[in-house]
Amino acid sequence: MITVENLHKSFGSEHILKGLSTTFDKGKTNLIIGQSGSGKTVFLKCLLGLFEPEDGRIIFEDRAIQDMDEEEKRRLRENMGMVFQGSALFDSMNIEENVMFPLRMFSKKKKSEMLDRVNEVLARVNLENVNKKYPSEISGGMQKRVAIARAIVNNPKYLFCDEPNSGLDPRTAILIDNLIQEITREYNITTVINTHDMNSVMEIGEKIVFLQKGNLAWQGDNTQIFKTDNKDVTDFVYSSDLFKKIRDVQIKEG
Amino acid sequence: MKYLHDIGSYFLMLKDVFSRPTKGSVLRELVLKEVDELIINSLGIVAFISFFVGGVVAIQTALNIDNPLIPEYLVGFATRQSIILEFAPTFISIIMAGKMGSFITSSIGSMRVTEQIDALEVMGINSLNYLVFPKVIALLFYPFVIAISMFLGILGGWVAGVYGGFSTSEAFIQGLQEDFITFHVIYAFIKTFVFAFILATVPSWQGYFMKGGALEVGKASTNSFVWTSVLIILTNYIVTSLLLS
């Protein structure tokens, strides 16, 4: 579980995060949603430790990152997996080397054991016979799967995903969402996903944190989000014609 | 003010480059890869340029000797001095600032743009040590490149001088041996090590701290060449003043 208390982050005179407080539950897919510029990415990067907040605390289980020394932070990061928006696979390495990378850096396993683990996680994300290919030789959807495999290969406690299905066709996007949810339950990890995709909200939004101009405007789950009276949330949810039509049909059918 | 900030960020980067080392087995592979990419891949262009520039130095020296009192061995002597003291260590390093430097900046810059450096940081890896330290170690082999440049530059001078009819082989070789000062070679290699460090770190700094997209990667590569060349010229002056004055 991750607990965030009164988080503030500014860039120069621009106050991006204005006192966020929330929790991200273990074994659940926690979604951070909001419009572009609402502070989602900054929030995620603060959770990852890539940005240093000015104020507030981020508590992993029972230990705040602000109280950790460098060695503790390094060990915490070994327990984090991250799926970047653009996958961020290392182009100089083939798929096998990409997925094996965290193991090579942090485990003392033999090469054959590492290879077995790589093949296991690649099979888990439904990728086979791509081990020797390079990231540029596979599709965007496959790159995302490789990124997920790399993120989970070291059995992390925390999985972070920055818009994991952006740039993917709707069918592949849903497959990636479902895969992340299955992995979250299977490994009982705390997953935090940054997205603005309403399909993801509907599919895997077990806990949803809605950001509006750096403030926590609403939180709940994917059943509550369609019933809330919060205008900011309804404006966001029903910004697409499809969802407006679904709402109109639901109202018509009582 | 910006220059002070840049200088500060360069030295802060160096601190991180030499801290929290990467796992030994991984580092060994990275160093070998960098030796291949930075050193071995540079040999062809260095050999080509050195041979022909050596030839040109010999021809120009010979053509400028009008006075019959000046001995013929001066062609070999001038070629040796020009190549060992300046051409091989300094001008090859400036050429390498273009070839090797832009490669380093663009490869690290592309990793920055595509979030690969963020991926390393999130995994708890000291990205500066992982990316830059192997380059510093690989460039410890850079003096071998310069030694090859020295040899081929002088060989090119001999070929152009002898086969172009500007000097006899005996006179050229006598010139190579005349007033030979071992410390000049030591001086050349001392400054080569300094240039190697600049070549490994300045382009890395430009690539690592770049912001933006593909266009900015190109701009960073250009800046990298300018900064590296300027620093090589400046340190060349300082090292020469300290060691030869």
Side-chain angles (χ1 to χ4, degrees):
Chain A
M1 191 169 97
I2 304 169
T3 309
V4 180
E5 292 174 353
N6 193 33
L7 197 70
H8 287 267
K9 175 69 189 168
S10 302
F11 292 102
S13 59
E14 212 173 340
H15 199 175
I16 308 292
L17 302 180
K18 300 166 184 165
L20 294 182
S21 295
T22 187
T23 56
F24 297 111
D25 302 328
K26 193 174 182 180
K28 281 187 181 176
T29 44
N30 302 274
L31 269 57
I32 304 169
I33 64 167
Q35 291 173 340
S36 298
S38 59
K40 301 190 299 290
T41 302
V42 174
F43 187 24
L44 194 72
K45 289 196 171 179
C46 285
L47 294 175
L48 288 163
L50 292 175
F51 289 158
E52 193 78 34
E54 276 91 47
D55 198 10
R57 288 159 70 80
I58 301 167
I59 303 161
F60 289 84
E61 308 308 333
D62 53 1
R63 186 98 170 109
I65 196 165
Q66 286 73 18
D67 300 334
M68 293 180 186
D69 58 25
E70 283 306 312
E71 183 54 28
E72 274 182 289
K73 281 183 190 170
R74 195 186 61 75
R75 268 188 274 122
L76 172 69
R77 282 180 171 165
E78 285 177 26
N79 278 308
M80 288 178 174
M82 172 73 189
V83 179
F84 285 87
Q85 189 173 357
S87 300
L89 299 177
F90 303 118
D91 352 271
S92 58
M93 299 179 194
N94 64 29
I95 302 308
E96 187 177 282
E97 289 163 342
N98 260 288
V99 179
M100 200 186 281
F101 186 77
L103 292 174
R104 291 192 62 213
M105 296 304 287
F106 302 117
S107 82
K108 288 177 181 165
K109 287 180 180 168
K110 287 180 191 163
K111 180 131 194 227
S112 59
E113 290 172 323
M114 286 194 253
L115 205 53
D116 288 345
R117 175 68 182 150
V118 167
N119 288 328
E120 187 187 328
V121 288
L122 282 175
R124 181 65 195 83
V125 297
N126 305 318
L127 276 178
E128 274 158 22
N129 304 321
V130 294
N131 291 38
K132 300 297 172 196
K133 289 192 174 179
Y134 280 82
S136 58
E137 296 171 334
I138 59 175
S139 69
M142 289 165 99
Q143 286 181 14
K144 285 279 159 65
R145 285 164 194 256
V146 176
I148 294 169
R150 185 178 69 181
I152 62 169
V153 73
N154 230 357
N155 290 318
K157 286 183 184 168
Y158 311 98
L159 178 63
F160 298 93
C161 308
D162 188 14
E163 306 202 8
N165 49 19
S166 71
L168 301 179
D169 65 87
R171 192 175 160 78
T172 310
I174 289 169
L175 287 173
I176 294 290
D177 281 342
N178 290 336
L179 180 63
I180 292 170
Q181 189 173 42
E182 285 165 21
I183 285 167
T184 301
R185 288 176 180 166
E186 202 174 307
Y187 293 84
N188 194 28
I189 52 184
T190 308
T191 297
V192 181
I193 303 171
N194 184 359
T195 186
H196 51 226
D197 181 8
M198 276 310 295
N199 288 325
S200 300
V201 172
M202 288 172 66
E203 286 283 332
I204 58 168
E206 292 175 291
K207 160 119 194 214
I208 301 163
V209 172
F210 180 82
L211 297 191
Q212 175 78 355
K213 293 177 184 167
N215 292 300
L216 179 72
W218 180 87
Q219 53 185 334
D221 64 26
N222 57 0
T223 55
Q224 295 165 334
I225 198 167
F226 294 100
K227 295 170 188 167
T228 177
D229 296 330
N230 186 309
K231 192 177 174 310
D232 292 330
V233 179
T234 51
D235 283 351
F236 178 81
V237 171
Y238 297 111
S239 55
S240 87
D241 283 346
L242 175 66
F243 283 94
K244 275 180 198 157
K245 281 174 186 162
I246 292 170
R247 179 181 57 180
D248 294 343
V249 169
Q250 282 175 334
I251 292 169
K252 205 181 274 180
E253 289 174 352
Chain B
M1 199 64 191
K2 188 183 172 294
Y3 288 117
L4 281 177
H5 175 268
D6 287 344
I7 291 165
S9 81
Y10 173 73
F11 283 104
L12 285 173
M13 179 197 84
L14 290 184
K15 184 176 145 269
D16 282 347
V17 168
F18 293 101
S19 62
R20 274 172 57 208
T22 304
K23 197 174 166 184
S25 58
V26 177
L27 179 67
R28 197 166 50 238
E29 272 182 37
L30 289 171
V31 170
L32 290 175
K33 189 169 146 279
E34 298 293 355
V35 167
D36 182 46
E37 282 176 349
L38 302 177
I39 303 292
I40 308 292
N41 282 351
S42 301
L43 289 178
I45 186 75
V46 168
F48 177 79
I49 292 172
S50 302
F51 186 83
F52 284 99
V53 170
V56 169
V57 169
I59 292 169
Q60 287 191 351
T61 309
L63 290 177
N64 282 287
I65 299 172
D66 291 335
N67 192 329
L69 293 175
I70 297 174
E72 197 187 342
Y73 70 72
L74 185 75
V75 178
F77 177 80
T79 305
R80 183 198 76 198
Q81 290 297 84
S82 311
I83 297 288
I84 290 179
L85 288 175
E86 280 310 310
F87 173 74
T90 310
F91 289 94
I92 286 293
S93 295
I94 290 172
I95 292 163
M96 286 301 106
K99 189 206 173 280
M100 210 185 268
S102 58
F103 170 75
I104 291 173
T105 304
S106 56
S107 58
I108 295 182
S110 301
M111 288 185 75
R112 169 64 72 199
V113 171
T114 54
E115 296 181 305
Q116 291 175 46
I117 292 178
D118 286 345
L120 289 170
E121 288 291 325
V122 167
M123 286 179 208
I125 294 163
N126 177 359
S127 58
L128 277 169
N129 181 274
Y130 180 84
L131 293 171
V132 186
F133 188 67
K135 291 176 175 51
V136 175
I137 300 297
L139 280 173
L140 290 176
F141 292 94
Y142 184 60
F144 289 105
V145 175
I146 298 306
I148 288 168
S149 169
M150 287 174 180
F151 173 75
L152 288 174
I154 291 169
L155 180 70
W158 179 81
V159 170
V162 173
Y163 291 95
F166 299 103
S167 169
T168 62
S169 180
E170 292 75 22
F172 192 92
I173 290 168
Q174 188 194 346
L176 293 182
Q177 294 169 339
E178 196 70 28
D179 280 338
F180 183 80
I181 301 168
T182 315
F183 184 70
H184 284 177
V185 179
I186 296 169
Y187 149 79
F189 281 111
I190 288 172
K191 67 181 186 179
T192 298
F193 274 111
V194 176
F195 298 158
F197 188 76
I198 292 171
L199 280 170
T201 54
V202 175
S204 300
W205 165 67
Q206 282 285 337
Y208 191 87
F209 290 105
M210 64 140 296
K211 289 189 176 97
L215 182 67
E216 282 74 16
V217 174
K219 284 180 184 169
S221 296
T222 310
N223 285 340
S224 157
F225 174 69
V226 173
W227 273 87
T228 311
S229 309
V230 167
L231 280 172
I232 285 172
I233 298 287
L234 280 176
T235 48
N236 185 37
Y237 176 77
I238 294 165
V239 172
T240 305
S241 300
L242 290 172
L243 296 181
L244 294 188
S245 291

